[in-house]
Amino acid sequence: MTVKKTFPKILWLIFSSSIFFILLYSALFYYTKKAEKQLYTTTVEQFNNEVTKLLEVNSKPILVAIKNDTNWDEFVKFINKPDAHWYNETIGNELEIYEADYLGVYDANMNFIIRTPTPKIKSIDFIPKTEMTLLNKVGISKFYLKIPEGIVEVTGAAIHPSNDPLKNKSMTSGYFFVVRLMDSNYIKNLEKLTNSSILFTDTEATLATGKHKISALYVLKDSGNQFVGKLLFKRSFEVYFENAIRILYVIIVFFILNLIVNLIYTRKLVYYPLDLVRRALESGNRRAIKELKKTTGEFSYIGNLSEENSNQKLELIKAKIKAEEGDRLKSSFLANLSHEIRTPMNAINGFTELLLNTDISESEKREYLNVIEKSGKNLVGIIDDLIEMSKIDSNQLTPNLTIVNLESCINELYETVKITIKNNDIDFILIKPEIPAQFNIITDDIKLKQVIINLLTNALKFTERGSVTFGFDIDEEKELINFTVKDTGLGIDEDNHKNIFDRFKRVDSDISIKVGGLGLGLAISKAYVDLLGGTINLESTVGEGSTFYFSIPLTYSRVDHITVKQVNDVEIQKSEGETILIAEDDNINFLLFQKMMQNKNYKIIRAINGQEAVDICLNDPSIDLVLMDIKMPIMTGFEAMEQIRPIRPNLPIIAQTAYSSSEDKIKIEEAGFNGYLTKPLSRENLFEMINKYLDKENFNEN
């Protein structure tokens, strides 16, 4: 009888326990599904926000650049009086800066003036008038448009004079448009930027949903806010809940058995982990996530997912901050670049116009020409820095190790820099090492010299009076060569020490603004020192001066010292009627050669391409020297050199090229040229090279 009474109680206990577990299981299943849905929804929202922000960042450089160009008095003058040459030299060559496929200009009456396309876009006048009407109101806007070549992204701005900061409609002088074709290259670049796959569609597509994929739609609209197309972004969503669901079914059976055996573990094995899941999902409680990861089974997996979700949020926030900072720095850099390029260009154009159109004295003419020459050198320096920085960013630089006599190298630098100093209030001092190098060293002397010159140039720029000293010492024990450049100049605030070698940050002050420049010298110097395997740092106090220290590895060549070379002035010899072949396809450059040598008794012959240069050299034995341009049509200077040298091995051939990096110089030397001249041409360097190789006795002896 007792058994009969107890059995129903046991059955009731089992039944009630099953109901309790079913409720508990349902709660777990609900929380799991809720976690999956919440995580998916949150990730999709974040993905949409990320896509929108990244597309804004992608368009930001164009907006910055187009604002600069359209608020420019020279552009307004062009609209009123179109000058194709001016446009091609200033606006038309900015396709690469904008990374665009088409530039178009319209006047105030919305009439097409001129364009600059790439081969991708054949259409000429396709900007709608309604967009120009809109620009009168908003000043600048971006929209999308379908043309025969495909859908394009158009950024337009109204052109105003610089004294119209409010951009009044009545003062609109014209309209300027920057167009990018949304082709496969555009999509690939966008895929890299957003780390997703992109499907381009011109239909009313909707977002696709899936457990392992997240999507985001970016609608493309024209200037009238009409639908043009859509970009469908897709990214993998590597979050899986199926295993949790399967294991939950298995838990049902084991839970019933475990409940019969020991109900005491219910709280530990079920309730507590569920509570952690709830706290982790509802508030992102890090302590709850940490405890959840310590549990076993799927709860630990959910803890890992929650932690990953939390980390992704933090990474997105950091990425956003970094992107905004990078965008700000790049925009500032581009604005500074535009200013630094336009400053010497303004001087060159302005003083050239004065020389051509006004009656001036000889002293004024010489003064103007000196300004033009200085501005040209400044412009070349800016371009060289940009090219070198581009090579550094693309990892194209490698050290060209050679045997170097360190004392000779430093003495030569000292003499070279010394003669350029025009400020008599500065003492320029070379500190000799107490213990000289025992042997010649192995390093890249070109990059080593450039680092020292950059540091000395900076020191001289920012020192009005006092001294600038530099030198080196040998640390045999640590196998290092330690260099020091010290000045008593302006000094650098301690807050700027950490940014001094950053390529996008420049320490601005009255003096730095006065001397100009992009501020890339120290960034290039640090890159060179890193390339040589060394380190660089500084000590500086405002008002007292700065000291830069850098070290490179000490590697001896174990050969005898070479004789220390002296720096001598170049003596220009008189010509004796020699025949010089100038291989140059550009008429202006050839005219410059003619004008430079018009007072000499040289016979000048011209070849307008590489093939013509080969034919003349092989058929005319009277040619005494060749000035060979590297980049020419039909046949390059390198190709022409390969055909001339076997037939006329003793003919001096000098390369003249716009390529000026150390790698380009090495390539020219390896090709067999006797020497090289870099553009822009220096008359002194030209005659030094001609004198050297037309001195037949010395040339044949060498």
Side-chain angles (χ1 to χ4, degrees):
M1 189 69 177
T2 304
V3 176
K4 290 182 179 181
K5 290 181 179 180
T6 305
F7 185 70
K9 292 181 180 179
I10 295 174
L11 291 177
W12 172 252
L13 179 61
I14 295 173
F15 178 73
S16 61
S17 299
S18 300
I19 293 176
F20 174 75
F21 177 77
I22 290 171
L23 293 175
L24 189 61
Y25 170 80
S26 299
L28 181 59
F29 187 83
Y30 168 77
Y31 275 113
T32 304
K33 283 294 186 181
K34 184 178 179 181
E36 179 182 6
K37 183 177 180 181
Q38 181 176 345
L39 188 59
Y40 184 86
T41 303
T42 302
T43 306
V44 169
E45 290 176 354
Q46 293 172 347
F47 187 35
N48 274 284
N49 292 335
E50 180 184 350
V51 166
T52 302
K53 289 291 184 183
L54 289 175
L55 286 174
E56 290 177 358
V57 170
N58 189 39
S59 300
K60 196 72 173 182
I62 292 181
L63 295 175
V64 172
I66 202 171
K67 284 180 180 178
N68 289 334
D69 282 341
T70 55
N71 194 30
W72 187 20
D73 293 336
E74 294 296 325
F75 208 168
V76 173
K77 292 179 181 178
F78 168 77
I79 297 297
N80 297 328
K81 188 177 181 180
D83 181 354
H85 177 72
W86 179 91
Y87 172 83
N88 291 328
E89 289 294 321
T90 55
I91 302 299
N93 62 8
E94 291 186 348
L95 275 175
E96 292 184 1
I97 295 177
Y98 283 104
E99 296 181 352
D101 301 300
Y102 177 96
L103 302 177
V105 182
Y106 291 74
D107 63 18
N109 297 321
M110 306 180 188
N111 296 317
F112 173 79
I113 298 178
I114 196 169
R115 63 169 186 148
T116 302
T118 64
K120 294 181 180 180
I121 296 182
K122 305 297 183 183
S123 301
I124 299 176
D125 180 9
F126 53 84
I127 304 298
K129 307 299 182 183
T130 55
E131 170 60 14
M132 302 181 204
T133 303
L134 177 62
L135 290 180
N136 287 332
K137 300 178 181 178
V138 300
I140 185 171
S141 71
K142 185 181 77 172
F143 63 100
Y144 298 88
L145 188 67
K146 183 179 288 187
I147 64 174
E149 291 82 358
I151 292 180
V152 293
E153 175 196 77
V154 183
T155 304
I159 302 172
H160 291 263
S162 60
N163 62 356
D164 180 26
L166 299 179
K167 295 182 171 52
N168 297 315
K169 177 180 178 181
S170 60
M171 295 185 70
T172 298
S173 301
Y175 308 90
F176 179 49
F177 296 92
V178 178
V179 181
R180 294 196 293 184
L181 180 64
M182 300 180 71
D183 57 6
S184 59
N185 289 332
Y186 181 95
I187 297 299
K188 286 179 181 178
N189 291 333
L190 206 55
E191 287 179 338
K192 291 181 180 179
L193 180 65
T194 59
N195 192 25
S196 60
S197 61
I198 300 176
L199 176 63
F200 180 84
T201 176
D202 56 359
T203 62
E204 296 287 347
T206 57
L207 276 175
T209 59
K211 290 185 177 181
H212 308 312
K213 290 284 186 181
I214 56 175
S215 303
L217 271 179
Y218 187 83
V219 180
L220 310 178
K221 295 184 178 181
D222 62 15
S223 59
N225 207 31
Q226 298 299 313
F227 175 85
V228 175
K230 289 184 178 182
L231 294 177
L232 177 60
F233 298 80
K234 292 184 179 181
R235 182 185 291 173
S236 297
F237 180 66
E238 301 297 340
V239 179
Y240 304 96
F241 286 84
E242 289 86 350
N243 293 335
I245 302 300
R246 295 191 191 101
I247 293 177
L248 287 175
Y249 288 112
V250 176
I251 292 176
I252 294 176
V253 177
F254 285 97
F255 182 81
I256 295 175
L257 296 175
N258 190 57
L259 183 62
I260 296 173
V261 176
N262 197 347
L263 294 176
I264 196 170
Y265 292 103
T266 302
R267 177 179 177 82
K268 180 179 179 181
L269 297 178
V270 179
Y271 175 76
Y272 182 62
L274 284 175
D275 183 60
L276 293 176
V277 171
R278 178 186 60 78
R279 288 158 57 192
L281 293 176
E282 290 181 353
S283 62
N285 188 298
R286 287 192 168 275
R287 184 176 179 182
I289 293 174
K290 184 177 180 181
E291 293 296 324
L292 192 59
K293 288 178 62 180
K294 293 179 180 179
T295 60
T296 58
E298 292 303 312
F299 294 110
S300 176
Y301 182 66
I302 294 174
N304 289 329
L305 291 177
S306 300
E307 183 180 53
E308 181 181 346
N309 183 41
S310 179
N311 292 336
Q312 286 180 351
K313 289 181 180 179
L314 291 176
E315 290 298 325
L316 285 174
I317 293 173
K318 291 179 182 178
K320 178 184 176 184
I321 295 174
K322 186 176 181 181
E324 290 176 348
E325 175 69 8
D327 178 52
R328 184 184 66 80
L329 292 175
K330 289 180 180 179
S331 297
S332 175
F333 179 79
L334 288 173
N336 185 43
L337 171 62
S338 176
H339 174 269
E340 293 299 333
I341 289 178
R342 290 184 188 279
T343 298
M345 283 302 300
N346 181 61
I348 292 171
N349 292 339
F351 282 100
T352 301
E353 184 178 358
L354 289 175
L355 286 170
L356 293 174
N357 300 321
T358 59
D359 293 328
I360 56 177
S361 64
E362 285 298 322
S363 61
E364 288 178 314
K365 182 183 297 183
R366 183 171 295 276
E367 179 184 357
Y368 293 175
L369 290 173
N370 286 334
V371 172
I372 293 172
E373 180 186 27
K374 182 178 179 181
S375 299
K377 290 180 178 179
N378 290 342
L379 190 59
V380 171
I382 291 171
I383 294 171
D384 286 344
D385 282 351
L386 288 174
I387 293 173
E388 205 65 17
M389 211 65 243
S390 175
K391 290 186 177 182
I392 291 170
D393 288 338
S394 58
N395 296 319
Q396 293 183 10
L397 293 181
T398 56
N400 179 35
L401 301 178
T402 58
I403 297 175
V404 180
N405 182 285
L406 192 55
E407 286 77 12
S408 175
C409 176
I410 296 301
N411 287 341
E412 182 179 345
L413 272 178
Y414 173 73
E415 296 295 338
T416 302
V417 175
K418 183 178 179 180
I419 62 176
T420 65
I421 300 175
K422 299 180 180 179
N423 187 349
N424 296 326
D425 294 331
I426 298 177
D427 294 327
F428 185 51
I429 304 169
L430 171 63
I431 300 177
K432 300 286 186 177
E434 295 181 2
I435 303 176
Q438 298 180 18
F439 304 93
N440 291 340
I441 66 168
I442 297 177
T443 189
D444 187 328
D445 64 326
I446 294 177
K447 291 180 176 57
L448 174 61
K449 288 179 181 178
Q450 191 61 51
V451 172
I452 298 175
I453 288 174
N454 286 349
L455 296 179
L456 288 175
T457 301
N458 264 15
L460 292 168
K461 274 183 182 179
F462 298 103
T463 303
E464 294 184 352
R465 62 178 57 85
S467 64
V468 173
T469 62
F470 81 104
F472 71 95
D473 62 78
I474 305 295
D475 190 336
E476 298 277 358
E477 182 179 349
K478 296 182 180 179
E479 296 184 343
L480 291 174
I481 309 173
N482 301 313
F483 295 87
T484 304
V485 176
K486 183 177 181 179
D487 65 70
T488 60
L490 180 67
I492 303 167
D493 188 271
E494 188 174 354
D495 293 338
N496 290 314
H497 286 192
K498 61 181 179 298
N499 301 324
I500 197 68
F501 297 109
D502 194 320
R503 69 198 63 179
F504 289 129
K505 294 183 180 179
R506 184 178 71 169
V507 179
D508 286 327
S509 65
D510 292 341
I511 295 181
S512 64
I513 293 173
K514 179 181 177 181
V515 300
L518 296 177
L520 293 178
L522 291 179
I524 294 173
S525 297
K526 185 179 186 305
Y528 282 176
V529 172
D530 292 341
L531 189 68
L532 296 176
T535 58
I536 186 170
N537 54 71
L538 81 152
E539 294 177 359
S540 184
T541 303
V542 175
E544 296 182 8
S546 305
T547 304
F548 283 84
Y549 305 93
F550 74 94
S551 302
I552 62 173
L554 171 62
T555 305
Y556 284 127
S557 66
R558 303 297 177 183
V559 297
D560 293 335
H561 285 293
I562 59 176
T563 304
V564 177
K565 297 182 291 185
Q566 300 296 327
V567 179
N568 298 319
D569 295 332
V570 177
E571 181 180 351
I572 300 178
Q573 301 173 356
K574 295 182 178 180
S575 59
E576 299 179 357
E578 290 88 349
T579 301
I580 298 177
L581 171 64
I582 301 177
E584 174 61 69
D585 62 305
D586 187 85
N587 292 331
I588 295 177
N589 284 337
F590 178 71
L591 177 62
L592 179 60
F593 275 114
Q594 284 185 311
K595 295 301 181 181
M596 283 183 172
M597 294 187 285
Q598 65 183 356
N599 295 327
K600 302 294 179 180
N601 192 27
Y602 298 132
K603 178 182 179 182
I604 304 299
I605 299 177
R606 182 188 182 185
I608 62 174
N609 57 62
Q611 182 61 60
E612 189 172 324
V614 172
D615 295 340
I616 293 173
C617 287
L618 299 186
N619 295 317
D620 188 350
S622 67
I623 301 297
D624 294 300
L625 183 140
V626 179
L627 297 175
M628 181 77 73
D629 188 18
I630 294 298
K631 187 176 181 182
M632 289 187 294
I634 301 179
M635 184 183 294
T636 67
F638 288 116
E639 294 170 337
M641 178 70 176
E642 290 180 357
Q643 296 193 26
I644 296 172
R645 184 57 76 204
I647 307 301
R648 299 194 62 178
N650 296 322
L651 176 64
I653 303 178
I654 300 171
Q656 40 114 354
T657 175
Y659 302 115
S660 61
S661 69
S662 57
E663 288 76 13
D664 296 321
K665 294 175 182 177
I666 292 171
K667 184 179 179 182
I668 289 171
E669 291 173 352
E670 291 177 347
F673 287 93
N674 298 93
Y676 59 87
L677 296 167
T678 58
K679 299 176 182 178
L681 293 171
S682 164
R683 185 172 180 271
E684 182 179 357
N685 293 338
L686 172 63
F687 286 118
E688 178 185 7
M689 196 68 69
I690 292 176
N691 292 342
K692 177 180 179 181
Y693 291 106
L694 287 185
D695 186 356
K696 296 181 173 56
E697 293 183 1
N698 292 334
F699 175 67
N700 293 331
E701 288 175 1
N702 294 332

